[in-house]
Amino acid sequence: MTEIRFENRVAIVTGAGHGLGRSHAMALAARGAKVVVNDLGGSVDGTGSGSAAEDVVAEIVAAGGEAMAHRANVTSESDVADMVDQAKSKWGRIDILVNNAGILRDKSFAKMSIEDFRAVVDVHLMGSAICTKAVWETMREAQFGRIVMTSSSSGIYGNFGQANYGAAKMGVAGFMNVLHLEGAKYGIKVNALAPVAATRMTEDLMPPAALEMLTPESVTAGLVYLVSDDAPSRTILCAGAGGYAATKVYETEGIYLPPEEQTPEHVAANFAAITATDGQKEFQQGGEQGIKFLGKAAAHLGVSLG
Ligand code: NAI
């Protein structure tokens, strides 16, 4: 087994002052990367600020690693631009971006204010977009980049009380899908992580025995592979308590209804066949759906698509 190393690689890990981000930053530094530890140092709901980033940098340096702290708020384009400028002037490059910063403002949708919806989408989705935009050109020019979004089972499958968070966490998966396609010819690989770990975000949600197994380090093992030279691309890697899996999106083969049957009643009458999973496929890009449907229609109508 070849050891995964990051000598000469520069990584930015957002929200690295606590929890998973801290663990990712420490592991990357321990494996030779120069790491920007980003964190505004706030509380779980995103309010306040503090020295969390500097504290993690001190831990990395004490362990013999190289790191710099930056308190950028990932929702601020100017903060993030300053962070990227400082990293580039110190180390000359950016190879890896781990979009990990996150907050929670849980409430049932009936009780959730739009302000709390927007705040959560801003940090997870817009924060990921702002940080990615700030490094994208650098990575394209270098013909190398590794980017990870942090998704969540809450977005992929849903979780009561997390409408804002779920929307943002599925949003970053869609963002990954497109960046995977646009980055491929520039050597940029884009993946997502769907973690479960004991952090301050989850410490009140699970019993102590579960929290003990849910180490951030077990999740970080997956993250480190996703940003390595031999990383896959467009994978949603799920990780927790030493379990590793991948989430995939499939589309059923579906059916074709001729023009006179393209009615809601025929859709209802055929719903079992429409949703039957035999022959389902994982598409590589959105256009494949249209090609499938047009193929069925053209075959039925005897039309040549050229
Ligand atoms: P955490 O609260 O320990 O760490 C999140 C960090 O992000 C904090 O240090 C916080 O200060 C920082 N942060 C928040 N807003 C920021 C902003 N605007 N700019 C810069 N930094 C900011 O939480 P945890 O659990 O380590 O979460 C890390 C990521 O993993 C988050 O995206 C979270 O949604 C995701 N996640 C965690 C799960 C878990 O089981 N812990 C489950 C699924 C997803």
Side-chain angles (χ1 to χ4, degrees):
M1 225 178 263
T2 321
E3 192 189 358
I4 295 177
R5 299 288 309 175
F6 296 94
E7 268 74 27
N8 305 317
R9 296 274 181 230
V10 175
I12 297 176
V13 184
T14 70
H18 295 103
L20 285 165
R22 170 183 168 276
S23 171
H24 301 337
M26 306 248 322
L28 289 169
R31 288 168 180 269
K34 298 175 180 70
V35 182
V36 180
V37 176
N38 158 256
D39 209 295
L40 90 176
S43 56
V44 173
D45 70 2
T47 52
S49 62
S51 64
E54 289 82 356
D55 297 347
V56 172
V57 167
E59 281 189 87
I60 289 174
V61 171
E66 216 176 324
M68 62 173 270
H70 200 289
R71 290 194 191 189
N73 180 334
V74 295
T75 67
S76 159
E77 285 176 71
S78 56
D79 282 10
V80 170
D82 182 65
M83 171 170 73
V84 169
D85 284 352
Q86 284 197 30
K88 279 165 71 175
S89 51
K90 193 170 166 73
W91 292 317
R93 51 192 297 140
I94 312 276
D95 304 286
I96 295 166
L97 169 66
V98 182
N99 287 307
N100 164 83
I103 62 169
L104 285 183
R105 302 228 179 145
D106 292 0
K107 271 192 183 116
S108 66
F109 189 58
K111 294 190 182 132
M112 186 181 286
S113 67
I114 286 298
E115 188 194 343
D116 280 347
F117 197 103
R118 206 188 297 277
V120 168
V121 170
D122 262 353
V123 174
H124 295 272
L125 181 56
M126 290 310 299
S128 297
I130 288 168
C131 292
T132 303
K133 182 76 180 164
V135 302
W136 191 247
E137 203 46 50
T138 303
M139 289 182 176
R140 275 166 44 112
E141 277 166 18
Q143 298 272 313
F144 183 92
R146 297 288 179 268
I147 299 172
V148 170
M149 311 294 167
T150 306
S151 184
S152 168
S153 57
S154 298
I156 299 166
Y157 308 115
N159 236 8
F160 195 96
Q162 296 195 311
N164 47 5
Y165 185 75
K169 289 306 202 187
M170 203 54 182
V172 296
F175 185 38
M176 169 196 74
N177 285 334
V178 174
L179 292 188
H180 156 73
L181 294 171
E182 295 187 5
K185 73 171 181 228
Y186 301 100
I188 304 174
K189 295 186 175 179
V190 191
N191 293 287
L193 186 67
V196 197
T199 67
R200 65 182 194 166
M201 217 182 239
T202 52
E203 64 193 357
D204 300 330
L205 307 177
M206 281 175 271
L211 292 172
E212 212 169 293
M213 289 187 280
L214 287 166
T215 62
E217 291 73 20
S218 68
V219 172
T220 293
L223 177 279
V224 167
Y225 172 58
L226 292 182
V227 298
S228 67
D229 283 8
D230 295 330
S233 193
R234 193 181 178 253
T235 296
I236 302 176
L237 180 71
C238 314
Y244 303 91
T247 295
K248 302 229 169 218
V249 177
Y250 296 98
E251 182 166 310
T252 65
E253 179 56 29
I255 59 160
Y256 171 73
L257 293 173
E260 64 280 10
E261 292 179 18
Q262 291 168 10
T263 67
E265 292 74 19
H266 280 92
V267 171
N270 287 285
F271 206 60
I274 291 170
T275 55
T277 55
D278 40 311
Q280 65 183 4
K281 285 197 190 74
E282 184 192 15
F283 289 144
Q284 299 308 309
Q285 51 182 302
E288 290 175 38
Q289 183 190 66
I291 291 169
K292 177 181 76 176
F293 286 153
L294 284 169
K296 285 180 196 287
H300 179 83
L301 300 169
V303 173
S304 164
L305 290 172

